Amino acid sequence: GLYCSASVGSDSIYFQLFEDGTHGAWATVPGTALYELAFDGSYLWAADYDGEVIYRIDIGLAGETGTLGIEVTNGSEFAAECSVFSATVTVTSGNSQQFSTETDSLGRALLDLIPVDDNTTLTVSKAGFSDCVIDGISISAQGMHLYECNLTPEGEMVIPCDTSFDKQWGLFDPDGRADINAPAGWYLERGESSPVIVAIVSTGIDLNHPDLRDNVWINPDEVDGNGSDDDGNDFVDDVYGWSFTRDGKGSNGIFDEDGLGTAVAGIVAAKANDISSFTDDASEVWNVAGVSWGAQIMSLKFDGTRQAMWKAVKYAVEQGAGVILIPEGFNGRSAQLEDAVLYAASHNVVVVSGTGDDGGDATYPASFEQVLAVGATDRNGAVAAYSNVGNSQTGSKVDVVAPGGSGAFGDASGILTTLPTYPCRLIDEGCRQGYDFVHGTAYAAAFGAGACALLRSQRPDVPYSEIIGAVKQSAKPVHGLIDLHAALAGSVNNEAPVIGRAGFGTSFISEAAGGDLYILAEVSTPDGNNDIGSVELYFEGASTGLYMNDDGVNGDASGGDGIFTFYSYIFPGMFAAGNYTIGIVATDSSGLDSDMWPYLTVKSGRSAGIAMRGARRTSSYHLLDSGSPVIKLGGFGASSVTVQGGELKLTAEVFDPDGLSDVTEVELFLKDQSPLGVFLWDDGTQGDEAAGDGIFTFYSGVGPLAQGELLLEVVAYDASGGRSDTWPYLVVH
């Protein structure tokens, strides 16, 4: 057959003419009409009956080249095999010549002038998908070769078909810097099987928006327009929600004259996997995906007063909302706002609110304990400069952050979402009708509300506090960015800190003379947040209000290395001779505490005292003149020993002026110096993580023990017969 392509106006259409005289249109771009084709032996004619136009299309022979066409579909399990647009199609011929193009909005691409070859490779790629590779393609002269490719998302992800999804970096950022990990979360839950009502207390919603109208909540017990209160809730014709006013009158008019309500609604629950009919002035098609695909959006408009907000929250609760989004709050705390939040909490409803955009303290109701307070991040994943912060002195708080964007309207660094399809305040201020990029904590809060809606779909019967806790505890390290997949999977990205090792430095204490007390602790954050708030000392099990520091001063060798220290001079007579126990507890910025470090025992003598050598209060470790080894830190790893037995892991960090290779053994003793014939090893086995790093370990199962304290101590020896001081007692409870 003969093949040709032609431009018709600003659109393109490809034709195929078969040898038997039949013909067909292979592909058209949306916006073009379908054409009736005819061939008179010299020319191919295309008749557009709607436009009453006839086009003559000259047919040219391809020579020693061929044409390759590809149709690319989405292989996501829940994406209905829709077209994949903007995928890169690369053809590599046998002589390594490459030809590339991108798929159009129908997922189709056409490459012509491909050299004749029997070993051509076709590769289709797009961020988030695994490459589709078709090898060994045979290209014939003057031939059109058609292929189909189903792109499968990388890993366990669902990537929807929405045309503008590539611009929704807050949901999916291929670089992984700033998104909430939505595609992986959607693999677990999309909110369609158990829809949740999300009440949006804001400025109303454009109910006819093509990306929202199918997900708008409709009061099932109210008849539209009959002027009656059919469901007996004291609101007449509240079919789609209500507009609340301070005076209590209100109306069922929820027309969004501002734009904010429509914008946050799109982030929460814009319909996914649809191809919207909305096009802008440049004929570009727009449609987006919301966080919760199945959520029903209840529109609750209010006049900006606390009284009206309270009424809106009460209505949402009584009409069955599972999540309430209050995008913007108030600078001051008030009893009315708190009453509204407590009312929702008492009915197990999740409340989410933005923290505000003036760079000051977080607003209310976000700062109430029962509310998920959401700050904003920018396109790079950093906390946005405008995003309000928590302040313990004023009681304001930020629980998590979510994409809030930055830049002016229309800037792709903002959050792409739905906007009213008619003039409103945001349109007057520069936004485009239908869709545009915006920024602010209100939009970050919408991501939080969508996440809570999916969690509520997944766990319909759990307390509201568990939903909020799941979002907070699974947030990504550093700033606390919402991680949708981790929340739905029950992962915990906010873990309590761990004290890995602890002990005494160079300390010498006696009853008569007093002395120096120097304590070290190595503290880490398994969640990677690096957010240690405090490391407190406990004496005989009670809080002391004394804290260890990692600031490079007051005896701390270097700041920021995870080694926290405490130094104090003990006055004569402060302690009578005997043993005293000191505990250590590390707390992170979210208030999570480490386990108390098993007691370190300070042994105070009457006169001579006991020297507990280790790290001197200088920038370097103390080198004994004899060259004997030094135990710098020692303690228990992840151990759990009860009267039934358990697992015991001991760790000691050993230093030897003569070099670690000189250390021959590290032995374990009972408190009375009775050798146990048990040794710690630095060989990379039996619980030791790495050989030759100076960290000696002992790991073993322990049989039943009598109740009480088991006091253990560690001694290191070197090849020349040098012996370290006994490490101060390690206490097993």
Side-chain angles (χ1 to χ4, degrees):
L2 296 174
Y3 305 89
C4 69
S5 64
S7 294
V8 180
S10 62
D11 302 317
S12 296
I13 187 166
Y14 307 110
F15 301 99
Q16 180 176 3
L17 178 68
F18 300 102
E19 292 179 352
D20 62 1
T22 60
H23 44 72
W26 180 73
T28 61
V29 174
T32 63
L34 292 179
Y35 296 88
E36 184 75 21
L37 306 181
F39 182 60
D40 63 4
S42 299
Y43 300 104
L44 180 69
W45 298 88
D48 175 5
Y49 292 108
D50 292 336
E52 298 182 350
V53 177
I54 297 178
Y55 300 96
R56 191 188 80 179
I57 303 170
D58 296 328
I59 300 175
L61 298 180
E64 294 304 309
T65 60
T67 301
L68 187 149
I70 181 77
E71 182 174 12
V72 184
T73 54
N74 189 327
S76 289
E77 183 178 354
F78 302 97
E81 295 190 353
C82 54
S83 301
V84 176
F85 46 89
S86 300
T88 300
V89 179
T90 302
V91 176
T92 306
S93 66
N95 62 5
S96 298
Q97 285 184 275
Q98 286 195 337
F99 307 82
S100 294
T101 189
E102 287 192 350
T103 55
D104 61 17
S105 58
L106 291 179
R108 293 171 173 175
L110 194 71
L111 296 100
D112 53 12
L113 302 180
I114 305 300
V116 172
D117 197 295
D118 289 331
N119 193 29
T120 299
T121 299
L122 171 65
T123 303
V124 182
S125 59
K126 184 171 182 177
F129 293 88
S130 299
D131 288 353
C132 173
V133 180
I134 304 175
D135 286 316
I137 293 175
S138 179
I139 302 296
S140 60
Q142 304 179 29
M144 176 176 281
H145 311 272
L146 305 179
Y147 294 89
E148 294 182 358
C149 182
N150 192 264
L151 280 185
T152 304
E154 295 175 342
E156 295 182 336
M157 296 198 303
V158 174
I159 297 180
C161 302
D162 302 83
T163 309
S164 307
F165 184 71
D166 287 354
K167 300 179 178 70
Q168 293 187 267
W169 57 264
L171 293 174
F172 179 54
D173 176 14
D175 295 330
R177 295 177 299 172
D179 62 53
I180 66 167
N181 202 13
W186 290 329
Y187 190 83
L188 302 176
E189 179 64 56
R190 292 157 302 285
E192 296 166 310
S193 58
S194 180
V196 171
I197 298 172
V198 179
I200 298 178
V201 182
S202 187
T203 63
I205 294 175
D206 177 2
L207 300 178
N208 292 316
H209 194 289
D211 238 345
L212 299 176
R213 57 193 174 206
D214 290 343
N215 287 354
V216 169
W217 172 80
I218 299 176
N219 187 342
D221 299 320
E222 195 76 9
V223 177
D224 191 12
N226 68 352
S228 299
D229 179 17
D230 302 290
D231 59 0
N233 65 353
D234 295 329
F235 297 93
V236 176
D237 289 341
D238 57 326
V239 177
Y240 303 105
W242 195 258
S243 179
F244 294 88
T245 58
R246 180 177 183 175
D247 59 17
K249 295 180 180 179
S251 70
N252 63 356
I254 53 175
F255 180 80
D256 187 4
E257 300 171 355
D258 181 275
L260 174 63
T262 301
V264 296
I267 297 171
V268 174
K271 185 178 181 181
N273 286 323
D274 67 322
I275 303 298
S276 170
S277 59
F278 186 91
T279 56
D280 61 16
D281 294 339
S283 298
E284 182 176 357
V285 178
W286 293 83
N287 63 326
V288 295
V291 177
S292 179
W293 297 2
Q296 299 177 30
I297 310 162
M298 178 188 292
S299 179
L300 302 181
K301 189 174 179 179
F302 81 114
D303 64 5
T305 64
R306 293 171 174 82
Q307 294 91 333
M309 180 180 286
W310 195 105
K311 297 175 188 296
V313 170
K314 185 173 184 291
Y315 178 95
V317 171
E318 293 177 349
Q319 293 300 127
V323 176
I324 298 174
L325 170 61
I326 305 174
E328 296 181 324
F330 300 88
N331 287 327
R333 179 183 190 126
S334 78
Q336 282 181 315
L337 291 180
E338 190 166 14
D339 284 347
V341 167
L342 292 175
Y343 184 78
S346 68
H347 289 79
N348 204 27
V349 178
V350 179
V351 180
V352 182
S353 186
T355 59
D357 297 344
D358 58 16
D361 291 351
T363 56
Y364 290 88
S367 291
F368 289 122
E369 179 184 352
Q370 299 81 6
V371 178
L372 180 67
V374 187
T377 55
D378 61 20
R379 180 66 180 83
N380 296 315
V383 175
Y386 59 79
S387 184
N388 287 8
V389 299
N391 185 331
S392 59
Q393 294 182 341
T394 63
S396 68
K397 70 176 176 69
V398 179
D399 294 316
V400 291
V401 292
S406 59
F409 296 134
D411 189 327
S413 294
I415 304 300
L416 178 62
T417 187
T418 54
L419 286 168
T421 53
Y422 47 78
C424 65
R425 181 187 66 84
L426 285 179
I427 306 303
D428 293 342
E429 292 181 2
C431 281
R432 290 171 294 191
Q433 290 186 20
Y435 297 84
D436 208 343
F437 296 89
V438 293
H439 74 270
T441 57
Y443 310 109
F447 282 99
C452 289
L454 286 182
L455 282 162
R456 180 55 84 195
S457 293
Q458 184 190 61
R459 314 169 196 178
D461 299 322
V462 302
Y464 82 93
S465 56
E466 187 172 321
I467 300 294
I468 292 177
V471 175
K472 292 166 59 176
Q473 293 171 17
S474 62
K476 296 179 183 179
V478 184
H479 302 310
L481 179 65
I482 289 175
D483 186 331
L484 188 60
H485 176 265
L488 292 166
S491 301
V492 176
N493 282 336
N494 186 20
E495 299 181 58
V498 171
I499 301 176
R501 290 168 286 159
F504 297 97
T506 304
S507 300
F508 190 96
I509 304 172
S510 72
E511 180 180 355
D516 293 331
L517 177 62
Y518 184 43
I519 302 173
L520 303 91
E522 182 180 72
V523 184
S524 63
T525 52
D527 55 20
N529 291 337
N530 299 316
D531 60 342
I532 299 299
S534 65
V535 181
E536 186 177 5
L537 295 177
Y538 285 71
F539 183 74
E540 299 293 333
S543 171
T544 65
L546 300 174
Y547 296 91
M548 305 176 72
N549 294 295
D550 183 17
D551 53 8
V553 298
N554 295 325
D556 185 40
S558 60
D561 62 355
I563 305 296
F564 286 72
T565 63
F566 173 82
Y567 167 74
S568 178
Y569 174 71
I570 304 299
F571 288 97
M574 182 176 292
F575 292 107
N579 293 339
Y580 300 90
T581 55
I582 295 178
I584 304 173
V585 175
T587 305
D588 69 12
S589 60
S590 64
L592 294 177
D593 293 332
S594 71
D595 291 334
M596 183 176 289
W597 181 259
Y599 295 138
L600 306 173
T601 302
V602 181
K603 188 173 183 180
S604 175
R606 288 195 178 279
S607 55
I610 292 181
M612 295 170 282
R613 288 204 180 104
R616 184 190 291 273
R617 287 175 283 106
T618 63
S619 60
S620 61
Y621 284 103
H622 180 47
L623 308 182
L624 299 180
D625 295 337
S626 65
S628 297
V630 174
I631 300 176
K632 297 193 299 184
L633 291 174
F636 295 100
S639 301
S640 177
V641 181
T642 68
V643 292
Q644 285 80 35
E647 293 183 343
L648 178 64
K649 182 177 181 180
L650 300 177
T651 301
E653 183 174 355
V654 181
F655 173 81
D656 191 353
D658 303 330
L660 284 174
S661 61
D662 193 34
V663 176
T664 56
E665 57 189 36
V666 179
E667 189 173 9
L668 191 63
F669 289 80
L670 285 175
K671 66 175 182 177
D672 58 2
Q673 292 289 301
S674 299
L676 295 174
V678 173
F679 299 90
L680 286 73
W681 301 102
D682 184 16
D683 56 4
T685 63
Q686 298 181 350
D688 184 39
E689 294 182 359
D693 62 355
I695 308 297
F696 288 73
T697 62
F698 168 78
Y699 178 76
S700 176
V702 176
L705 297 171
Q707 189 171 6
E709 293 184 345
L710 173 64
L711 303 184
L712 305 173
E713 51 192 22
V714 182
V715 175
Y717 302 91
D718 65 14
S720 62
R723 182 183 189 276
S724 73
D725 289 336
T726 298
W727 182 260
Y729 296 142
L730 306 173
V731 182
V732 181
H733 290 280

